[in-house]
Structures are given as structure tokens and as C-alpha cells.
């Protein structure tokens, strides 16, 4: 058996496909715990021309989790760019955007808000709402996946990107535009790996060019935040960082405590009510 190093380019439940030495290997893992995600750089032991065993993952630049009620599942590793796709129709859920930005901040990943369906007249009102996030320093790009998705291209260059967002916003339209064969390919893989059952979430990494990659996980609406710690939350709200250490209680949850610097700033209008609400909801969720 030969040892090699490669990258997981497909994950499907407990099965992985690893690209190494210009070939792909159908891989299993050792032990019961599956600790790998699409995008992971892994050491493998090659068994034959098609099969290998994953031994370990290299240290990750970043790690994203899937939102799941019972357990945090790793969905994508080494992502450097998150594209949050939003559109005026169907009615967007701003909470999803807020949560996505938290996942990005916590993973030290550069997020971009992609406002899709710019051809729809309702887009102007949405852009007005999203100005809050532009003011916080987040990048925003407006485009129509149906008409011209080219504004996205330079933003993907040199990055490993992932698209996320509410259903109906245009993620698959964009993915198909970027990777015309993606759907067919991911379909083949899920069949091969899971004999057609669609019980587990799968992810696939596609090469846009030598240095730019896209991890596609169909239907990815939201990242899991359960791995975060409640006291760390305000680090992930850029507008709140300056108040760190200013609350009366050092372990302030910013929910009910007196002399909370965050609540005071929100009352004075320095922090948006929306964002305080999100902080408080997350704080309660994480306990
Ligand atoms: P997903 O659920 O996020 O993957 O969204 P889809 O890519 O399936 O798109 C949902 C719907 O929005 C489909 O009917 C698309 O044709 C439509 N759609 C996608 N992009 C655009 C766009 O730029 N403009 C308009 N008007 N519709 C779009
Ligand atoms: Zn506080």
C-alpha cells in the first residue's frame, strides 16, 4: 500500500472521494467517527487503483458545519469565501443572512452578500434593507443569475467558495451557470455512493480554474452555529467588538443584565435593534 496526500472532492455520508496524484479514489475512513468534510486535505493509504483509506486530515484553514437539530456535521473545509445568495422574491429571511455572517466571522472567512434577481423591480427595496450590512463593512454584489452572472467571477478567483442561502434565491441557477455540468456530476456521484438514497447531505468540490474552487452542497440554507460559545458571540458582530469589556458583568449575556454596554448602545441607536435581537437569540440558543 502506498501513502499519498490529496483533497476530499466529494463527501456523502461516510463515503468520500479523494483526488490525489491526478487520480480519484473511493475512500473509506478508519473507526466509527467520521471527522472529515469536503475540501479537507487528507493523508490516504492507497489500496488499489480505485480505493484508499483516509488516515487523517491536515490542519484546516476553516471549517463549516451544517445546521442540524441533533448534531453538528462538518460540511466544508478550507473554504475562504462564503457567498450568501439572497433575492427580493421569495420573501427573504434576514435572520438567515445574520446567522451566515456570524458563521463567516467565526470561521474567519470572507463573506459576500450576493443579491440575485436584479431584474426584479422589488430588488431596490431589498438593497435598501441590506444597506445595514454594507455599513457594517460587508461586501455586496448585485446581479441576475439568469441574465449575467459575470460580476461573480472575479470574487471567486483564488478562493474556495461555497454558496448558501434560502431556497428559491437562485443558488442552483448560479451553480449551473458557473459549472454547467455540476448537477449531472453530483447526481452520478450520489448514485454511486449511496445507491440513489438521498438521506445524507452531500457536497462536492469543483475546480473553476487551477486556484479557484467551488464547494457545492445542494440545498445548503444555513450553517450550524452550535460549535460557538455564547460569551464569544459579540466578537462576531463587527459593530459590537468595540464594547467588549464594557458591560458591568464580565460574563454579561447582553440579554437582561443592568448596565449592559450592548443594550445601551442599541438604545442609543449605535447598534441596530435587528442585530441586538439576533445576538440575544443566539445567546439563548447557545446557553
Ligand atoms: P435555489 O433554491 O436557491 O437553488 O434557487 P434556484 O436556482 O432553483 O432558483 C429559484 C427560482 O428563481 C427559479 O425559478 C429560477 O429560474 C429563478 N431565478 C434564478 N435566478 C434568477 C434571476 O436572476 N432572475 C429571476 N427573475 N429569476 C431567477
Ligand atoms: Zn452586556
Amino acid at each position: 500500500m502506498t501513502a499519498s496526500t490529496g483533497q476530499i472532492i466529494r463527501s456523502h455520508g461516510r463515503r468520500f472521494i479523494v483526488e490525489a496524484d491526478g487520480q480519484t479514489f473511493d475512500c473509506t475512513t478508519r473507526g466509527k467517527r467520521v471527522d472529515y468534510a469536503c475540501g479537507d486535505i487528507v493523508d490516504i493509504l492507497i489500496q488499489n487503483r480505485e480505493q484508499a483509506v483516509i488516515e487523517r486530515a491536515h490542519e484546516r484553514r476553516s471549517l463549516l458545519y451544517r445546521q442540524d437539530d441533533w448534531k453538528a456535521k462538518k460540511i466544508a473545509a478550507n473554504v475562504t469565501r462564503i457567498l450568501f445568495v439572497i433575492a427580493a422574491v421569495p420573501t427573504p429571511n434576514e435572520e438567515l443572512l445574520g446567522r451566515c455572517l456570524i458563521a463567516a466571522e467565526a470561521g474567519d472567512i470572507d463573506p459576500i452578500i450576493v443579491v440575485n434577481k436584479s431584474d426584479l423591480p422589488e430588488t431596490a427595496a431589498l438593497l435598501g434593507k441590506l444597506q445595514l450590512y454594507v455599513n457594517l463593512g460587508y461586501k455586496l454584489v448585485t446581479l441576475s443569475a439568469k441574465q449575467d452572472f459575470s460580476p461573480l467571477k472575479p470574487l471567486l478567483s483564488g478562493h474556495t467558495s461555497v454558496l448558501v442561502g434560502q431556497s428559491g434565491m437562485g443558488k442552483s441557477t448560479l451553480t449551473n451557470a458557473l459549472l454547467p455540468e455540476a448537477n449531472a456530476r453530483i447526481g452520478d456521484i450520489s448514485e454511486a455512493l449511496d445507491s440513489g438514497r438521498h438521506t445524507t447531505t452531500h457536497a462536492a468540490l469543483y475546480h473553476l480554474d487551477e486556484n479557484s474552487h467551488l464547494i457545492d452542497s445542494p440545498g445548503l440554507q444555513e450553517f450550524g452555529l452550535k460549535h460557538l460559545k455564547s460569551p464569544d458571540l459579540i466578537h462576531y458582530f463587527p459593530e459590537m467588538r468595540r464594547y467588549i469589556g464594557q458591560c458591568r458583568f464580565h460574563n454579561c449575556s447582553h440579554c437582561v443584565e443592568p448596565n449592559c454596554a450592548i443594550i445601551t448602545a442599541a438604545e442609543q441607536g449605535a447598534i441596530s435593534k435587528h442585530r441586538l435581537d439576533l445576538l440575544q437569540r443566539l445567546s439563548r440558543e447557545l446557553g
Side-chain angles (χ1 to χ4, degrees), residues 85 87 89-90 115-120 143-148 163-176 218-221:
V85 184
V89 179
V115 179
N116 185 31
K117 312 195 189 183
S118 60
D119 52 298
L120 300 181
L143 52 79
S144 165
K146 274 193 168 170
Q147 293 174 349
D148 179 18
L163 275 89
V164 63
Q166 202 178 330
S167 165
M169 295 304 178
K171 297 181 300 295
S172 6
T173 308
L174 274 173
T175 306
N176 289 342
L220 184 64
Q221 296 213 33

Side-chain angles (χ1 to χ4, degrees), residues 247 252 254 260-262:
C247 297
C252 184
H254 323 294
C260 167
I262 304 289

Side-chain angles (χ1 to χ4, degrees), residues 57-108:
H58 291 202
E59 196 179 333
R60 296 161 173 130
R61 156 69 177 76
S62 66
L63 185 60
L64 290 167
Y65 295 83
R66 191 161 78 90
Q67 173 69 18
D68 199 295
D69 281 343
W70 54 283
K71 199 166 134 195
K73 276 193 190 149
K74 299 174 174 66
I75 183 108
N78 298 314
V79 166
T80 57
R81 178 141 278 176
I82 291 175
L83 303 168
F84 183 86
V85 184
I86 188 166
V89 179
T91 308
N93 174 350
E94 210 174 320
E95 170 106 10
L96 281 185
L97 169 60
R99 286 172 177 262
C100 175
L101 297 174
I102 300 300
E105 294 280 350
D108 195 18

